[in-house]
Amino acid sequence: MKYSGWPEPGELVVGEIDEIADFGVFVDLDQYEEKRGLCHISEVASGWIKNVRDHVREGQTVVAKVLEVDQSSNQIDLSIKDVNEHQRKETIQDWKNERKADNWMLIALGEDVDDDRYTAVANALLREYDSLYDAFEAAAISGLEALEDVDVDDDAAEAIVDAARENVSVPYVDVTGYVDLESTAADGVDDVKTALEAAEGNGEIPDGVELDVGYVGSPEYRIKVRAPDYKTAEDELEAAAERAREAIESAGGAGSFHRERREDDE
């Protein structure tokens, strides 16, 4: 997706060097429709430059900082030297992500989707998310719930979720904790089983979260949680342990949560 407007001063943009002159280089901006910027030779690299071709080449993809924009003269002044390595890597990664998201949009809406339809859906996603990539990542994790506030029709929403879950590699965080569950009642084994079922959430774990409860060695049980981010993983781990503790204590037993094993795994 290319933006139809103009970049802002201070913005980092990605483009391809399409012409080199003695006084500088021209950069075709990848993210903006029909926009081309000029990087003066003094902004190509630090220090004295004898030959600009020693620093850049035609066809090279670069990250540049927008210095000035003059819409009346259709001029965009750029600086390559003002972009540090961290900024360059981060901007390139974001650019690559958006190219992936463009492809996912075509998978969802169809290769022959018309421009108006594509733009309408993309803008609706961008009103709720910082980027199309973020929107697809959220859809892969949370399904239709991620698009509840996005102003698109049901067909588009379902297609976006399907495309996201087929193509987006979702980052996950794994956390582990342990609960001790004890009951001296005659049916104490059943009480522990009930507590473990409570820990597992009785089928009500949120979308995008995986939770597994396993036996370690009586009275110790392991709870593993996989979630899209650390806070969610920690919250679900603590909630699972709390459900188990409440269930066993309501049956007259005792429960406790701890982060490390009492003994090393066999």
Side-chain angles (χ1 to χ4, degrees):
M1 179 181 180
K2 291 196 175 188
Y3 300 109
S4 57
W6 293 78
E8 296 289 334
E11 182 178 341
L12 297 181
V13 293
V14 178
E16 180 180 310
I17 295 175
D18 63 357
E19 183 181 348
I20 297 177
D22 292 339
F23 56 85
V25 299
F26 291 93
V27 181
D28 181 26
L29 302 187
D30 182 82
Q31 298 143 301
Y32 289 87
E33 289 183 346
E34 300 179 355
K35 296 296 186 294
R36 192 178 189 229
L38 170 64
C39 181
H40 189 268
I41 189 171
S42 62
E43 296 294 336
V44 171
S46 299
W48 182 68
I49 299 176
K50 180 178 180 180
N51 187 343
V52 70
R53 292 181 182 274
D54 292 336
H55 300 272
V56 292
R57 67 183 185 279
E58 291 179 350
Q60 179 181 350
T61 297
V62 296
V63 177
K65 181 179 180 180
V66 178
L67 298 179
E68 293 185 24
V69 176
D70 187 342
Q71 296 185 28
S72 63
S73 61
N74 200 34
Q75 183 170 329
I76 302 171
D77 293 332
L78 305 171
S79 174
I80 296 174
K81 74 174 185 181
D82 283 355
V83 180
N84 63 41
E85 185 62 17
H86 173 74
Q87 292 172 321
R88 190 191 70 80
K89 288 183 177 180
E90 188 175 70
T91 303
I92 286 291
Q93 187 58 58
D94 289 343
W95 172 67
K96 288 179 177 179
N97 286 346
E98 285 309 289
R99 295 185 73 177
K100 290 180 182 178
D102 275 340
N103 186 51
W104 298 336
M105 283 283 287
L106 295 177
I107 292 173
L109 303 178
E111 293 284 346
D112 58 349
V113 62
D114 63 67
D115 290 345
D116 289 343
R117 168 74 166 162
Y118 183 104
T119 300
V121 174
N123 285 339
L125 292 170
L126 292 172
R127 280 192 288 270
E128 299 297 329
Y129 291 94
D130 291 337
S131 68
L132 293 180
Y133 186 89
D134 289 345
F136 273 87
E137 189 172 72
I141 294 169
S142 302
L144 290 172
E145 182 181 341
L147 304 180
E148 285 182 352
D149 296 326
V150 177
D151 185 20
V152 294
D153 57 71
D154 291 345
D155 288 344
E158 291 173 3
I160 288 168
V161 171
D162 288 344
R165 288 187 162 166
E166 284 291 326
N167 295 280
V168 181
S169 296
V170 179
Y172 279 103
V173 173
D174 293 309
V175 296
T176 301
Y178 300 86
V179 286
D180 290 349
L181 303 172
E182 299 177 273
S183 175
T184 58
D187 55 353
V189 173
D190 291 335
D191 293 338
V192 170
K193 287 182 178 178
T194 299
L196 293 175
E197 290 173 356
E200 291 173 341
N202 297 312
E204 296 182 0
I205 301 301
D207 287 343
V209 174
E210 298 176 17
L211 189 151
D212 179 72
V213 180
Y215 177 78
V216 176
S218 184
E220 193 175 36
Y221 300 84
R222 180 192 295 110
I223 303 175
K224 290 183 177 181
V225 178
R226 169 170 285 186
D229 58 80
Y230 187 80
K231 183 180 185 305
T232 299
E234 286 291 329
D235 289 347
E236 290 301 322
L237 174 62
E238 293 175 8
E242 182 64 11
R243 289 193 297 268
R245 187 190 65 77
E246 289 178 352
I248 197 71
E249 289 183 357
S250 69
S256 62
F257 171 63
H258 50 100
R259 295 306 305 262
E260 304 294 334
R261 272 213 61 187
R262 299 298 187 194
E263 298 177 1
D264 292 337
D265 289 332
E266 297 294 326

